[in-house]
């Protein structure tokens, strides 16, 4: 019984030594999980490198931190596109998507204002539900749909479905 306990204790100690050695060796060198080095978002924005075509400079693969002398291109040849990291690509894509979404929303609001006289759209009241506190149910004269508007509206509303003005 005591020999089993000693065997388990020795195995645990050896296991911990192997794990500690692998962790201190850099991870992927000893067959462990790869170590991923990322830069926190606050530090990414504080890079000192100047932009090239809208992207920060990055050293070539074999230079790691050493400044490379500028290479001269023949006249009339466009600058080469540098490879960007996945994070930089995703950040730029998110900015473009947000701008496109804002532009689409603005255009939709502009179209609604032009077509329906600038009325705010009322909320939909699902069939069988009661009006929540602070809102009242108004039935559209044109399509007969039930719409929710505030009890004391400060502006005029249009029907949720047909956008006709509500009384």
């Amino acid at each position: 019984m005591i020999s089993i306990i000693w065997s388990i204790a020795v195995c645990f100690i050896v296991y911990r030594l192997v794990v500690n050695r692998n962790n201190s060796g850099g991870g992927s060198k000893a067959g462990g999980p790869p170590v991923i080095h990322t830069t926190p978002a606050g530090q990414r924005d504080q890079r000192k490198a100047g932009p090239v075509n809208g992207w920060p400079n990055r050293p070539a693969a074999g230079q790691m931190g050493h400044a490379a002398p500028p290479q001269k291109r023949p006249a009339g040849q466009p600058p080469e596109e540098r490879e960007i990291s996945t994070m930089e690509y995703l950040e730029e894509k998110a900015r473009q998507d947000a701008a496109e979404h804002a532009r689409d929303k603005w255009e939709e609001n502009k179209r609604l204002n032009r077509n329906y006289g600038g009325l705010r759209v009322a909320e939909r009241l699902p069939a069988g539900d009661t009006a929540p506190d602070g809102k009242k149910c108004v039935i559209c004269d044109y399509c007969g749909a039930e719409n929710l508007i505030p009890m004391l509206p400060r502006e005029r509303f249009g029907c949720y479905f047909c956008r006709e003005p509500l009384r």
Side-chain angles (χ1 to χ4, degrees):
M1 179 71 170
I2 293 178
S3 64
I4 295 174
I5 294 173
W6 279 107
S7 299
I8 293 173
V10 169
C11 289
F12 179 75
I13 292 170
V14 170
Y15 173 76
R16 294 300 293 167
L17 288 173
V18 170
V19 168
N20 287 341
R21 185 170 16 138
N22 286 347
N23 286 343
S24 66
S28 61
K29 294 178 187 172
V35 178
I36 300 173
H37 299 285
T38 60
T39 305
Q43 292 178 3
R44 275 197 305 267
D45 298 337
Q46 298 173 2
R47 291 186 192 147
K48 301 232 179 212
V52 174
N53 297 332
W55 297 100
N57 289 332
R58 174 173 264 188
Q63 296 173 349
M64 288 313 206
H66 301 296
Q71 296 180 357
K72 296 187 178 186
R73 292 185 312 270
Q77 198 175 34
E80 295 179 13
E81 292 291 323
R82 74 168 193 82
E83 193 172 319
I84 58 173
S85 73
T86 303
M87 286 301 295
E88 289 171 334
Y89 170 77
L90 291 175
E91 288 170 353
E92 180 64 23
K93 182 71 173 149
R95 278 192 291 273
Q96 290 173 354
D97 289 347
E100 183 179 347
H101 177 71
R103 185 174 46 253
D104 289 346
K105 185 138 180 91
W106 178 79
E107 289 173 357
E108 177 69 14
N109 285 338
K110 183 178 173 185
R111 184 185 64 79
L112 285 175
N113 283 339
R114 183 179 60 241
N115 293 344
Y116 301 111
L119 298 177
R120 276 190 58 195
V121 178
E123 295 177 36
R124 178 180 176 199
L125 179 65
D129 285 357
T130 60
D133 292 338
K135 303 224 175 187
K136 65 181 178 180
C137 177
V138 176
I139 298 176
C140 177
D141 293 334
Y142 183 76
C143 69
E146 296 177 339
N147 296 279
L148 285 178
I149 62 171
M151 283 290 209
L152 302 172
R154 295 183 182 153
E155 54 196 273
R156 296 195 51 197
F157 285 85
C159 177
Y160 178 83
F161 294 100
C162 66
R163 303 295 197 260
E164 286 294 315
L166 297 174
R167 287 197 253 169

